[in-house]
Structure formats: structure tokens, C-alpha cells
């Protein structure tokens, strides 16, 4: 059986027992510990049942390299990032496989800045791991293990400082929260209650026994949509298992989705604090329109959280993120954060006194379509060249695959980092236009790589 393990500069994912084994987990943790150089490392996990086994293997690798381990137990990925900076730690590890199915788990390392490893840090980790450059210490220098209680406390404090807490409390919003048995169940209700919300929680026990497919897409959130209507709620929030991404449902039970999570946050923030915004190259252009509305500098990075964070630091962005529901606010941390997203949405509703559906409908309207096609990596350049030649009226941007822009629509093709496929994403004002653009690109790519 082929080992199902994905290793990159961003971290490690694999199927438990088939690629993700205790010995490999310990080696990966020892590589992080070697880079931390006997410093303090924050450790947390997303609630999956396999996380208990993974936790022990990771603690072993970290302590064997002389690191003090601060164990936050079950906590969200952004909470782990916040704790790294709050405790001035040398790094962190979140045990999570994000939205992958139950058999999967993984390790996501954090730098001292509380963000995912950048390219240089990730390459150093791979060098240590693949070339056995571990700095194992002697018996009298082994690291210690310390439990950290109320891990989300510092995280929630930073989020509450972003907004007018009293104004939100006065509205007494009713919110349906779908944690789907992920780590969001630990502290998200605490945050929402601090904002004066009445909270109806779905899947609040963080045991990893997902009630539905974990990625917060429309087809997976029918129960949430129904419950929002049944409860007469003002909003529905859906987190992925490690709670760095957020999808939104309005008061009518309509799935607003992940793309508008960042757009709503940007609309609230830029209206009050104009400044640069950074998104990746696969994110809806609605954010670009919002930046233009407030006369704010707008930048695109390569796809990937590490690339977005690096570009945000370079441009001194005040907000950024990805169109998968991942909002990043440097005042909380350089990590995607569903807590930040919820706070900004509720703050916007409190300030405008309009419904969530009305706010979403007031934003520029686009339809985004995503597809993929099998393609060997060596054929990607040919596919991009064929696409650029066909659509010669578009403005082309290369580097992270190819993105072609027109005045009101765009299409992007880029190779997957983990599969022999090309992802094709198209966006236009109407759904049929986006579908046609995506299908045309798929046909051109398919002919080029046949």
C-alpha cells in the first residue's frame, strides 16, 4: 500500500497508520525542536481522536531536543499562534489535518512570530528532517512538560480589543455555531458569549467525530442553514476542524460562503482604518473592489498562508487573508483566524444595524467557479502558455501558475502542490459567465496536456 503522507515547507499531513506513524511524527517534532534550539514550544491539537497518540509522539521529539513543551491541549490553530507570541516561545506545533477526513492528522509548525513557517524556515526544517541533523540532548538536558490552562484566554482578549464590545452586546445577536466536533468547540462559544450573543452550538464536543464532511462548503452545511432559519438567528457560523477558516450563513438560511468572509471583514476594517490589504491570487476580486472603494492599496500574493503573511509584512497590511474563509489580522496574529472573522462580522452588523443578507447583497456581486484537471507537473508550463495565447486580450500575471484578468472577470490556472493536477478557477459577474470561462480554460488546458 502506498504511504499517504504529504510533507512540505508548510507542515505534515498523512493517514494515521499509513504514512503518519509514531516514529515519523517524533522525527518531525525533533526537527522543529532542533530549530527551536532548546527553547519553549507551544503544542495544541484540533480534537481528532488520533491526536492523543500524535501528541505523545510530538512531546517525545520536542523533549528529546531539550525543548520545554507548553501543552495547551485542544485549541484552535490561531490560538496556538497567539500563544507563541504571548509566551515569547521559540515556536509552536498545532496537531491538525485541517479539513481532511477523520483518518488523517498532521503537524503544522509555527515560527517565533506566531505564523506558519515561511519558505526559508520550511526548507531548513526539511533539511534537518531529511538529513538526520537532529540536535538530541543528553539525559540531564531533556526538556520539560507544562500544561497551560485556559489557552484561548489571550487569544480572545486580542480579538475583543479589535471591536466595540459594548455595541455588539447591546444588539443581543442570536448565532448558530457549527463547530462540527472540532477545536472550535472549546472556546468559540466563550468568545460569542463575551459579545453578548445567544449561541446555539452544533457539534460542540471536540472529539473529532465530524457530523458532516469537515470542509465548510455549501453542500456540507445544509443542517446549519436549516437551523439558522429554525432558530430565527441573525447569523450562522461554520468552522473547519482547527477553526482557522470560517464560512457564513445569513439570517435567511442562505450560504454566503467562504469568499465573502474576507470581503465582509475588509469592508468593516477599511471603512474605519484605511490601509493596505493583501489576498492571494485565487481570492475573489470583490476584495479588490472594496479596497478601491476606500482608496486603499491592494496586493496579491502567491497562494498559501505563508505567502500571504510574508506579503502582508512586506506591505505593512492592516488586514489580509485567503478566499477560503481565512482572515488574517496582524493585531491578533499572522495566522488565519475564525475568531477575528466572527468579531468583524458582528461588529459590522452592530454598526450598520442592517441584516447580514442586506450587507452581503450590498457588496459587489460575482460568481466564482472552481475545477481541476489531471496534469503532469512537466506539462503545466505548456498549459499556461496555451491559455495565455488563446486569451491574448487579458492582462497576464505569472509566477504562481497563470492568472488572466479582464475588467470584470478573471481565470487562474495553477499546479497543485500535493497532487498531479491543475486547479482552474474563474470568476465573473454572473454564474453562467464564470462557468463558461472555466470550461473554456479547462478545454484549452486539456488539449495542451493531452
Amino acid at each position: 500500500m502506498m504511504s499517504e503522507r504529504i510533507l512540505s515547507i508548510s507542515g505534515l499531513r498523512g493517514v494515521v497508520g499509513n504514512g503518519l506513524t509514531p516514529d515519523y511524527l517524533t522525527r518531525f517534532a525533533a526537527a522543529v525542536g532542533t530549530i527551536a534550539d532548546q527553547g519553549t514550544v507551544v503544542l495544541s491539537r484540533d480534537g481528532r481522536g488520533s491526536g492523543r497518540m500524535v501528541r505523545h509522539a510530538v512531546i517525545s521529539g520536542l523533549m528529546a531536543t531539550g525543548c520545554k513543551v507548553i501543552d495547551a491541549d485542544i485549541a484552535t490553530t490561531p490560538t496556538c499562534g497567539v500563544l507563541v507570541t504571548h509566551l515569547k516561545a521559540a515556536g509552536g506545533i498545532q496537531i491538525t489535518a485541517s479539513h481532511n477526513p477523520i483518518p488523517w492528522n498532521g503537524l503544522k509548525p509555527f515560527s517565533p512570530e506566531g505564523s506558519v513557517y515561511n519558505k526559508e524556515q520550511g526548507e531548513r526544517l526539511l533539511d534537518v528532517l531529511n538529513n538526520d541533523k537532529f540536535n538530541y540532548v543528553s539525559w540531564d538536558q531533556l526538556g520539560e512538560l507544562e500544561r497551560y490552562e485556559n489557552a484561548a484566554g489571550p487569544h480572545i482578549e486580542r480579538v475583543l480589543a479589535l471591536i466595540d464590545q459594548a455595541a455588539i452586546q447591546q444588539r443581543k445577536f442570536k448565532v448558530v455555531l457549527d463547530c462540527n466536533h472540532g477545536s472550535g468547540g472549546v472556546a468559540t462559544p466563550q468568545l460569542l458569549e463575551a459579545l453578548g450573543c445567544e449561541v446555539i452550538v452544533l457539534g460542540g464536543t471536540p472529539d473529532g467525530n465530524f457530523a458532516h464532511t469537515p470542509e465548510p462548503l455549501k453542500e456540507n452545511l445544509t443542517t446549519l442553514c436549516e437551523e439558522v432559519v429554525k432558530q430565527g438567528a441573525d447569523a450562522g457560523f461554520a468552522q473547519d476542524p482547527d477553526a482557522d477558516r470560517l464560512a457564513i450563513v445569513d439570517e435567511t438560511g442562505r450560504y454566503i460562503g467562504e469568499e465573502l468572509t474576507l470581503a465582509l471583514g475588509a469592508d468593516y476594517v477599511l471603512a474605519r482604518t484605511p490601509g493596505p490589504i493583501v489576498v492571494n491570487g485565487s481570492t475573489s476580486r470583490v476584495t479588490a473592489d472594496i479596497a478601491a472603494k476606500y482608496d486603499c492599496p491592494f496586493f496579491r500574493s502567491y497562494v498559501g498562508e505563508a505567502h500571504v503573511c510574508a506579503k502582508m509584512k512586506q506591505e505593512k497590511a492592516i488586514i489580509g487573508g485567503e478566499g477560503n474563509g481565512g482572515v488574517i489580522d496582524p493585531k491578533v496574529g499572522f495566522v488565519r483566524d475564525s475568531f477575528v472573522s466572527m468579531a468583524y462580522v458582528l461588529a459590522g452588523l452592530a454598526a450598520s444595524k442592517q441584516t447580514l443578507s442586506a450587507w452581503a447583497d450590498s457588496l459587489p456581486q460575482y460568481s466564482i467557479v472552481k475545477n481541476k484537471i489531471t496534469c503532469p507537473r512537466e506539462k503545466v508550463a505548456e498549459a499556461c502558455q496555451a491559455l495565455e495565447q488563446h486569451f491574448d486580450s487579458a492582462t497576464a500575471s505569472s509566477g504562481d501558475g497563470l492568472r488572466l484578468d479582464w475588467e470584470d472577470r478573471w481565470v487562474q490556472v495553477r499546479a497543485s502542490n500535493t497532487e498531479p493536477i491543475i486547479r482552474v478557477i474563474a470568476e465573473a459577474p454572473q454564474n453562467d459567465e464564470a462557468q463558461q470561462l472555466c470550461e473554456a480554460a479547462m478545454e484549452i488546458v486539456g488539449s495542451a496536456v493531452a
Side-chain angles (χ1 to χ4, degrees):
M1 184 182 296
M2 187 176 70
S3 172
E4 294 194 57
R5 184 169 66 212
I6 300 169
L7 177 67
S8 71
I9 62 170
S10 301
L12 169 69
R13 286 189 201 177
V15 172
V16 175
N18 179 24
L20 206 69
T21 54
D23 58 327
Y24 197 84
L25 288 162
T26 300
R27 285 168 53 83
F28 187 98
V32 174
T34 297
I35 292 171
D37 194 21
Q38 300 185 48
T40 297
V41 177
V42 175
L43 176 65
S44 54
R45 61 189 183 95
D46 71 7
R48 294 168 191 260
S50 61
R52 291 185 290 271
M53 177 277 289
V54 175
R55 170 182 171 273
H56 285 288
V58 170
I59 289 172
S60 179
L62 291 174
M63 292 180 66
T65 50
C67 293
K68 178 179 180 179
V69 182
I70 302 294
D71 181 14
D73 198 29
I74 300 176
T76 71
T77 288
T79 293
C80 183
V82 168
L83 281 181
V84 170
T85 55
H86 178 71
L87 298 173
K88 297 180 172 56
I93 295 179
Q94 174 76 5
I95 300 171
T96 182
S98 188
H99 60 271
N100 284 48
I102 290 176
W104 289 70
N105 215 323
L107 303 178
K108 187 172 186 175
F110 283 88
S111 73
E113 292 78 32
S115 59
V116 296
Y117 276 14
N118 61 27
K119 185 174 184 291
E120 181 182 353
Q121 292 163 334
E123 288 176 348
R124 185 185 173 200
L125 182 146
L126 295 179
D127 179 51
V128 173
L129 176 62
N130 295 329
N131 295 295
D132 293 331
K133 296 181 179 179
F134 307 111
N135 182 28
Y136 290 123
V137 299
S138 61
W139 66 271
D140 57 342
Q141 292 182 308
L142 295 173
E144 302 174 351
L145 177 63
E146 180 181 304
R147 180 67 182 271
Y148 193 91
E149 303 295 341
N150 187 26
H155 184 190
I156 290 175
E157 284 182 15
R158 291 190 190 181
V159 173
L160 293 177
L162 297 174
I163 40 84
D164 185 341
Q165 185 177 353
I168 300 174
Q169 289 172 335
Q170 289 172 7
R171 290 294 303 274
K172 301 185 185 305
F173 291 117
K174 181 184 281 191
V175 174
V176 181
L177 172 68
D178 183 4
C179 303
N180 197 23
H181 297 275
S183 60
V186 172
T188 314
Q190 180 184 339
L191 168 68
L192 293 172
E193 287 164 4
L195 292 171
C197 297
E198 178 186 346
V199 189
I200 297 95
V201 181
L202 307 179
T205 304
D207 55 15
N209 294 318
F210 307 136
H212 57 76
T213 304
E215 191 162 14
L217 304 176
K218 181 178 182 179
E219 58 267 27
N220 301 329
L221 299 177
T222 54
T223 299
L224 174 61
C225 294
E226 292 167 359
E227 196 67 22
V228 168
V229 175
K230 177 183 174 182
Q231 297 287 345
D234 298 288
F237 294 138
Q239 298 169 306
D240 67 335
D242 64 325
D244 60 348
R245 293 167 55 184
L246 184 77
I248 303 173
V249 173
D250 71 19
E251 81 284 354
T252 71
R254 177 181 58 164
Y255 174 84
I256 291 178
E258 297 180 299
E259 285 291 342
L260 284 190
T261 301
L262 177 56
L264 291 168
D267 193 43
Y268 174 81
V269 171
L270 298 183
R272 290 157 179 80
T273 314
I277 178 173
V278 173
V279 305
N280 72 24
S282 297
T283 296
S284 171
R285 66 174 297 144
V286 66
T287 52
D289 291 350
I290 290 169
K293 171 184 173 183
Y294 297 114
D295 196 26
C296 293
F298 176 83
F299 303 94
R300 289 193 184 274
S301 74
Y302 286 2
V303 172
E305 185 177 1
H307 293 302
V308 176
C309 290
K311 189 72 171 177
M312 287 180 70
K313 292 173 183 176
Q314 177 184 327
E315 304 297 344
K316 295 180 173 56
I318 61 170
I319 191 170
E322 301 185 290
N324 59 7
V327 176
I328 302 170
D329 190 306
K331 292 187 290 296
V332 177
F334 280 100
V335 58
R336 297 178 306 199
D337 192 341
S338 65
F339 286 17
V340 168
S341 305
M342 283 181 260
Y344 280 146
V345 168
L346 294 173
L349 291 176
S352 66
K353 295 182 171 55
Q354 63 182 334
T355 62
L356 184 50
S357 62
W359 186 11
D361 289 343
S362 73
L363 300 178
Q365 300 297 305
Y366 296 98
S367 179
I368 192 164
V369 176
K370 302 179 182 182
N371 213 323
K372 59 186 177 182
I373 186 171
T374 300
C375 177
R377 184 167 288 275
E378 62 271 15
K379 294 266 191 173
V380 173
E382 292 178 42
C384 290
Q385 184 178 12
L387 203 64
E388 186 172 357
Q389 288 175 348
H390 182 87
F391 292 116
D392 57 3
S393 63
T395 300
S397 305
S398 59
D400 190 23
L402 175 71
R403 181 180 163 114
L404 300 171
D405 277 276
W406 294 266
E407 186 176 347
D408 64 347
R409 65 200 62 199
W410 58 273
V411 64
Q412 184 197 46
V413 295
R414 60 181 297 273
S416 168
N417 292 324
T418 58
E419 303 172 76
I421 62 171
I422 283 181
R423 300 192 188 280
V424 182
I425 304 174
E427 187 177 47
Q430 302 297 326
N431 185 63
D432 60 343
E433 295 170 328
Q435 289 279 5
Q436 290 168 12
L437 183 56
C438 187
E439 289 169 6
M442 292 278 289
E443 186 176 339
I444 294 165
V445 170
S447 298
V449 302

